[in-house]
Amino acid sequence: MAGLTELTKDNFDQEVKESSLPVLVDFWGPKCVPCMGLMPVVEELAGKYAGKVKFCKVNTAENRRLAIQLRVMSLPTFQFYKGGEVVAELQGSFGQEEIEEKLQALIG
Amino acid sequence: MQEYDIIIVGAGPAGLTAALYSARSKLKTLYIEKLSTGGQAATTDEIENYPGFPHGVTGPSLSAQMEEQAKRFGAERLAAKVEKLKMDGDLRIVCTNKGDFRAKVVIIASGAAPKLLGCPGELKFRARGVSYCATCDAAFYEGANVMVIGGGDSAVEEANYLTKFADKVTLVHRRNSLRATKVVQDRALANPKMEFAWNSVVEEIEGEDVVERVILKDVTTGEKRTVEVEGVFIYVGLEPNTDWLEGQIETDEHGYIPTDDNMRTNVPGVYAIGDVRTKLLRQVVTAAADGAIAAFHAEKYMESKFDHK
């Protein structure tokens, strides 16, 4: 199983903004059940898209400022980055199908 | 096409209980969920009225244990989005984005989703201060002023929960008394961080980039006032998830599915349980009971219809 890179305000620019690969950022929190439900799906996708998309996650309980700075105020939220810019976002009720749709667009 | 005895659509407390009863009766059981396990219950911080947990249990923990129990008896889980229900003689076909599955019985446990308030600004500020899940988003409002809309159990319980994070929680209700259970009400009324805007409705949610204020209207006087808040949590009831049935199963005027005492819908071999069903009380305990009854009756139905052993 491919791991997800844990992001904080200290490594965000380096891991996301300066990444040569497109990046998925999963904003989650330990109290957010839909987020926990998505975690195995994301880990599976991280394996499937290894080498094509970099998978990262932000624990918003520990990095609230970073999340708010990135305009994330509601969970679950996924942001998709290309060339350091947000090109797509998923928010609220979504599942594997919607995530893969965005991933395909990201590498297409 | 893969075949099952029973396919359950939805993995909230109703669906998971049906899966448990069905699998424990040695029926080949599949339950399908597009999001995460637990349904609405999983977004509840503390469930105090599920028997057997004198000190309460969190929604996530209860859901996880229900799922573990169903799996222990052999129920299979599929993470997929159910798109359609088809009839194939006496059999039923559940079409998903991961393929079609045939079953002798389908149990609909697709639940209900939070209803929108329908005021200007609600959609614009969705996830920019407007939320439908306090347990998901409360931590973003540490030290903030927030507002909760609604007067039922969910609204009042989540308002109480939000006071653990926010400095002040204003509960907005269109009547002058709450509908919530007495014990929940009393706790809210005694909470020093809670304020109440009685006889009030939301006129508009305003802000630049994120929520900054809400315009309230007093329904008795028509007077308007502005309250500065950073978050608005909306709990104004539920909308049943029945669109995917495309009218093949009878629903009531609100979209809920009427059943008989055995959870049967108007179509043989199709049952409905939990929040999606027309019923008086939508709780974890009633959802679980629905699930048990449907699975039990479904087994009898299969025995008579398919000479099932």
Side-chain angles (χ1 to χ4, degrees):
Chain A
M1 193 186 290
L4 271 70
T5 308
E6 288 270 4
L7 299 179
T8 64
K9 64 175 177 11
D10 297 324
N11 68 355
F12 184 84
D13 282 1
Q14 183 197 331
E15 295 289 350
V16 178
K17 298 254 168 189
E18 291 153 27
S19 169
S20 51
L21 286 179
V23 186
L24 174 156
V25 184
D26 170 354
F27 294 85
W28 67 287
K31 279 253 176 189
C32 165
V33 178
C35 305
M36 303 310 273
L38 285 169
M39 211 58 99
V41 174
V42 177
E43 279 166 0
E44 186 195 319
L45 291 174
K48 186 171 166 187
Y49 287 85
K52 292 179 188 152
V53 177
K54 186 199 275 189
F55 281 64
C56 299
K57 58 180 174 180
V58 176
N59 180 349
T60 57
E62 288 165 11
N63 299 280
R64 197 162 58 99
R65 270 162 207 266
L66 175 65
I68 291 172
Q69 202 185 314
L70 297 166
R71 299 167 49 91
V72 173
M73 298 172 68
S74 195
L75 302 180
T77 293
F78 283 16
Q79 288 183 340
F80 299 82
Y81 286 81
K82 203 169 188 172
E85 299 291 330
V86 180
V87 292
E89 190 172 288
L90 287 172
Q91 210 290 312
S93 277
F94 58 89
Q96 182 165 353
E97 194 184 29
E98 289 84 358
I99 301 169
E100 287 220 56
E101 225 168 74
K102 300 283 186 205
L103 288 171
Q104 289 296 342
L106 207 57
I107 57 177
Chain B
M1 199 186 301
Q2 266 181 282
E3 305 225 358
Y4 288 87
D5 292 322
I6 296 193
I7 294 180
I8 298 152
V9 180
L16 291 173
T17 307
L20 163 65
Y21 274 71
S22 165
R24 196 161 171 273
S25 294
K26 301 261 190 295
L27 299 171
K28 194 166 156 41
T29 306
L30 177 73
Y31 64 97
I32 307 174
E33 172 62 54
K34 68 174 164 158
L35 302 169
S36 53
T37 305
Q40 286 281 313
T43 62
T44 309
D45 177 46
E46 193 80 25
I47 298 168
E48 288 180 330
N49 53 8
Y50 193 75
F53 296 89
H55 305 291
V57 56
T58 66
S61 146
L62 184 60
S63 309
Q65 293 188 65
M66 283 183 174
E67 177 159 41
E68 192 187 323
Q69 202 172 351
K71 281 185 167 166
R72 194 187 129 205
F73 290 101
E76 293 172 45
R77 177 187 219 272
L78 174 73
K81 189 179 193 174
V82 174
E83 286 160 350
K84 215 182 263 247
L85 177 65
K86 281 194 206 158
M87 312 300 162
D88 176 16
D90 286 338
L91 297 174
R92 307 284 168 253
I93 298 172
V94 176
C95 308
T96 80
N97 63 322
K98 293 199 182 150
D100 297 353
F101 301 84
R102 196 180 282 131
K104 297 187 183 85
V105 164
V106 170
I107 299 180
I108 300 167
S110 49
K115 212 184 249 177
L116 299 183
L117 188 58
C119 71
E122 179 180 19
L123 295 178
K124 180 181 173 198
F125 294 111
R126 192 171 188 158
R128 299 273 181 269
V130 172
S131 172
Y132 304 86
C133 178
T135 50
C136 299
D137 300 338
F140 288 113
Y141 300 94
E142 192 110 39
N145 286 347
V146 303
M147 191 172 264
V148 174
I149 322 296
D153 274 328
S154 300
V156 182
E157 277 172 15
E158 300 313 313
N160 272 323
Y161 174 69
L162 281 161
T163 59
K164 293 183 197 170
F165 300 86
D167 268 2
K168 194 173 88 180
V169 177
T170 306
L171 189 98
V172 177
H173 187 40
R174 76 170 88 147
R175 291 177 234 287
N176 64 359
S177 65
L178 300 171
R179 262 186 304 115
T181 318
K182 191 81 172 58
V183 58
V184 175
Q185 278 195 39
D186 288 351
R187 199 176 303 145
L189 294 166
N191 190 326
K193 285 184 167 182
M194 293 276 303
E195 278 187 19
F196 296 86
W198 302 112
N199 301 314
S200 297
V201 293
V202 175
E203 191 82 348
E204 188 167 359
I205 301 169
E206 292 185 346
E208 278 291 313
D209 212 21
V210 296
V211 170
E212 289 168 28
R213 61 199 162 270
V214 172
I215 317 290
L216 293 182
K217 187 171 119 184
D218 187 311
V219 290
T220 52
T221 63
E223 213 170 288
K224 288 183 192 172
R225 67 184 177 106
T226 303
V227 183
E228 298 205 351
V229 292
E230 288 164 56
V232 182
F233 291 80
I234 298 172
Y235 287 96
V236 290
L238 299 171
E239 192 93 60
N241 296 320
T242 43
D243 285 357
W244 61 281
L245 293 167
E246 296 170 333
Q248 290 182 91
I249 306 293
E250 194 183 295
T251 54
D252 67 17
E253 71 266 36
H254 303 291
Y256 291 100
I257 303 172
T259 67
D260 66 4
D261 286 350
N262 294 316
M263 309 299 142
R264 284 185 290 188
T265 68
N266 65 319
V267 176
V270 180
Y271 295 72
I273 56 174
D275 283 357
V276 78
R277 186 168 84 83
T278 305
K279 65 199 288 196
L280 179 64
L281 184 63
R282 292 191 170 81
Q283 296 271 296
V284 178
V285 70
T286 62
D290 286 2
I293 294 166
F296 179 80
H297 194 276
E299 190 182 357
K300 304 275 163 243
Y301 164 81
M302 276 188 271
E303 277 167 9
S304 62
K305 188 98 192 171
F306 300 97
D307 200 17
H308 201 270
K309 295 183 186 68

